[in-house]
Amino acid sequence: MSADASEPESGPGSEPGSESASGPGSGPGSEPGSEPGSEPGSESASGPGSGPGSESASGPGSEPGSEPASEPGSGPGSEPGSGPGSEPGSESASEPGSGPGSEPGSEPDQLCSEHREPLSLFCLFERRPVCAACARLGGRCHGHRIRRAEKHAEELRNKIVDQCERLQLQSAGITKYVAEVLQGKNQKAVSTASAARELVIQRMSLVRGLCESEEQRLLEQVLGEEERAHQSILTQQAHWTEALRKLDTLRTSLVGMLTHLNDLQLIQKEHEIVERAEEAEGILDPQESDKLSFNEKCAWSPLLTQLWATSVLGSLSGMEEVLINERTVSPLLHLSEDRRTLTFSAKKSKPCSDDPERFDHWPNALAATTFQAGLHAWIVNVQHSCAYKVGVASAQLPRKGSGSDCRLGHNAFSWVFSRYAQEFRFSHNGQHEPLALLRCPAQLGVLLDLQAGELVFCEPASGTVLHIHRTSFPRPLLPVFAVADQLISIVHQWPQ
């Protein structure tokens, strides 16, 4: 009988879906019977003798298209030792590598370590290959979602192919980015840097040219003013030398008359004496004249002052630190721990000792540093306050009382830049000069040049000079502050 015709039949009382119990010693041509009532697409649990990927033979009720999977060693030509009547579990005398449920080329690591069956299935729950026995009732993966191993492997292959395609596209994109975009960026960076470099050189050249021209103009003005003053002095010297000669001649003549003439002769010379006296009266006494002095205004230049102020404020890091003297702070002000910020309070913050240096009425405070000579500069942040005063004051400024002698800008001891709402002005000794500002400065730079006798207020951000006051200042001077709205603070570093 041929192997295709030999099919074992289900025994009496077999249930639908029960698996065949064909053992390793099934006779030639024997195949496990298909389970009645099997669902379309359902995979059978292969027995101990089934190889990886083997399916049960189609029987009554099996799906169309199912292929019989003959076990190794079954059918005609099976190796000796596999005959009828062999007991389950007996091993045939086959060559090494062939046995119950083994396929040619199968390796030990492809068998289930628990059941020694091919890992032909994949458990979706445990995410690992399993054998048919693991998926059966009582197996560790019973009830889990199971699929054929080759189907899962095929999906993995498809995923790898998709991932490789994405990687290839990504690599192509990166290659294009490096070759085109980065190369273009590099070329653009080089060209932009070159243009920026040329712009800096061009502008600095213009600035240098302007500075050189301004320097030449100012030096020529200084030289011209010096020559004018010198010429005026020479003219005056010549004039007064001639006046001295005339006076000496008149005096000598009058003395001669007085000495050598008698009364009659003297009377006869009366008309000449009157002429000599009138001539002497025509020579006036010397008077002070500005024409004989050098006019320092010839060296004044708004451009130079602006560049100078910006340069000085730009080097604040190398200058002395300005801190507020806590002994002078009014009870209406609160001084921060770093001694740079003054905050206004309508009510006295706390009882203060009756220090002779403290302002007891006006919301004023003095710095701890005094200036005797040289150049000094500091910056005050005023953007939070609409009522403040910033400037310098003499150490002789009175501290006690509500009179004008203690009020900044209302006495001869203080020079301040002040703001009240949208009004700005410079005040000294009760004289208030309104300042037309286009905007409220966020910071106020103060420059004090005691040698030149200049007090400059400017806006650090733009370098705009807001006001210049020139005078011969008394010594010593101290930075002075007043605030009647919110707070102001001394800026330690040059603003970026």
Side-chain angles (χ1 to χ4, degrees):
M1 181 180 295
S2 63
D4 296 81
S6 61
E7 294 181 6
E9 297 180 356
S10 302
S14 60
E15 298 179 359
S18 63
E19 299 175 350
S20 62
S22 57
S26 59
S30 62
E31 293 182 351
S34 61
E35 300 169 0
S38 60
E39 298 179 0
S42 63
E43 299 172 353
S44 63
S46 58
S50 60
S54 62
E55 298 179 357
S56 59
S58 60
S62 62
E63 284 184 66
S66 61
E67 299 177 359
S70 59
E71 297 181 21
S74 63
S78 61
E79 295 185 15
S82 61
S86 60
E87 295 180 0
S90 64
E91 297 180 1
S92 63
S94 58
E95 295 180 3
S98 64
S102 64
E103 289 185 353
S106 63
E107 299 178 358
D109 58 352
Q110 293 179 340
L111 300 178
C112 177
S113 60
E114 181 179 355
H115 303 102
R116 306 304 298 172
E117 293 190 17
L119 301 173
S120 59
L121 305 176
F122 184 80
C123 178
L124 295 175
F125 179 76
E126 295 189 359
R127 309 299 300 176
R128 69 183 187 90
V130 296
C131 68
C134 293
R136 293 194 193 104
L137 182 63
R140 61 182 296 172
C141 295
H142 177 69
H144 295 174
R145 291 181 60 194
I146 304 295
R147 67 174 6 164
R148 301 291 296 178
E150 59 266 25
K151 184 177 180 182
H152 187 70
E154 184 64 23
E155 289 186 0
L156 290 179
R157 289 189 183 92
N158 293 336
K159 289 183 179 179
I160 293 175
V161 171
D162 294 341
Q163 184 64 37
C164 289
E165 291 178 353
R166 285 194 293 269
L167 293 176
Q168 186 175 3
L169 292 175
Q170 185 178 8
S171 298
I174 293 175
T175 302
K176 182 178 180 181
Y177 178 79
V178 172
E180 298 180 6
V181 178
L182 289 185
Q183 185 66 21
K185 291 285 187 182
N186 184 58
Q187 295 176 355
K188 185 176 181 180
V190 171
S191 61
T192 305
S194 177
R197 192 178 298 109
E198 292 296 330
L199 181 63
V200 170
I201 294 174
Q202 179 185 8
R203 291 186 175 181
M204 289 303 298
S205 177
L206 291 174
V207 171
R208 278 193 293 269
L210 179 61
C211 290
E212 291 174 358
S213 299
E214 186 70 1
E215 178 184 13
Q216 185 66 25
R217 184 184 71 84
L218 292 175
L219 290 178
E220 290 177 356
Q221 287 188 178
V222 170
L223 179 60
E225 176 63 18
E226 180 184 20
E227 291 178 349
R228 185 206 60 77
H230 181 65
Q231 187 63 38
S232 297
I233 293 172
L234 290 178
T235 301
Q236 288 291 310
Q237 285 179 341
H239 171 75
W240 293 113
T241 300
E242 179 64 20
L244 288 174
R245 187 190 65 79
K246 289 181 178 180
L247 290 176
D248 185 65
T249 301
L250 292 173
R251 181 175 177 276
T252 301
S253 175
L254 293 174
V255 170
M257 291 180 183
L258 181 64
T259 304
H260 299 94
L261 298 179
N262 54 29
D263 294 342
L264 181 60
Q265 291 174 334
L266 189 62
I267 294 172
Q268 293 175 347
K269 294 288 186 179
E270 180 180 3
H271 179 68
E272 185 178 350
I273 294 172
V274 172
E275 289 180 349
R276 297 284 188 276
E278 290 178 352
E279 185 178 356
E281 290 177 356
I283 301 176
L284 303 177
D285 294 335
Q287 301 292 327
E288 182 65 29
S289 174
D290 292 337
K291 294 181 179 181
L292 300 177
S293 301
F294 180 85
N295 185 7
E296 296 182 356
K297 291 183 179 181
C298 68
W300 293 358
S301 166
L303 174 62
L304 179 59
T305 302
Q306 182 172 350
L307 293 175
W308 170 75
T310 302
S311 301
V312 172
L313 292 176
S315 61
L316 271 180
S317 57
M319 302 185 71
E320 69 269 48
E321 187 176 21
V322 176
L323 299 177
I324 296 173
N325 184 356
E326 58 185 350
R327 295 180 59 186
T328 66
V329 177
S330 165
L332 297 174
L333 301 178
H334 171 73
L335 180 63
S336 62
E337 292 184 1
D338 61 2
R339 297 169 59 192
R340 292 194 181 96
T341 301
L342 290 170
T343 304
F344 175 74
S345 175
K347 298 181 180 179
K348 293 186 178 181
S349 56
K350 59 182 179 180
C352 298
S353 60
D354 189 18
D355 195 305
E357 296 189 24
R358 189 179 307 280
F359 292 93
D360 63 354
H361 180 79
W362 299 106
N364 303 339
L366 289 169
T369 307
T370 59
F371 304 137
Q372 294 282 357
L375 174 63
H376 310 274
W378 59 98
I379 297 175
V380 184
N381 191 337
V382 295
Q383 62 179 338
H384 302 294
S385 179
C386 293
Y388 62 83
K389 293 180 180 179
V390 175
V392 295
S394 168
Q396 301 175 359
L397 178 66
R399 318 294 170 85
K400 305 300 181 182
S402 59
S404 296
D405 56 342
C406 302
R407 191 177 182 184
L408 300 184
H410 289 258
N411 49 66
F413 306 106
S414 56
W415 299 258
V416 293
F417 176 98
S418 63
R419 175 188 178 182
Y420 293 96
Q422 300 301 315
E423 295 182 0
F424 300 88
R425 60 188 182 182
F426 173 79
S427 301
H428 169 65
N429 201 21
Q431 302 296 319
H432 309 289
E433 181 179 349
L435 304 177
L437 272 62
L438 297 178
R439 61 182 180 183
C440 301
Q443 292 182 333
L444 192 64
V446 185
L447 292 86
L448 176 63
D449 190 346
L450 289 173
Q451 180 179 357
E454 291 183 345
L455 176 63
V456 181
F457 299 94
C458 65
E459 185 181 23
S462 63
T464 303
V465 176
L466 306 178
H467 183 72
I468 303 177
H469 182 76
R470 294 179 173 92
T471 189
S472 178
F473 292 98
R475 319 291 172 87
L477 289 180
L478 304 91
V480 68
F481 313 89
V483 55
D485 176 60
Q486 299 200 28
L487 58 90
I488 61 174
S489 58
I490 302 172
V491 179
H492 180 55
Q493 296 293 340
W494 168 255
Q496 300 296 327

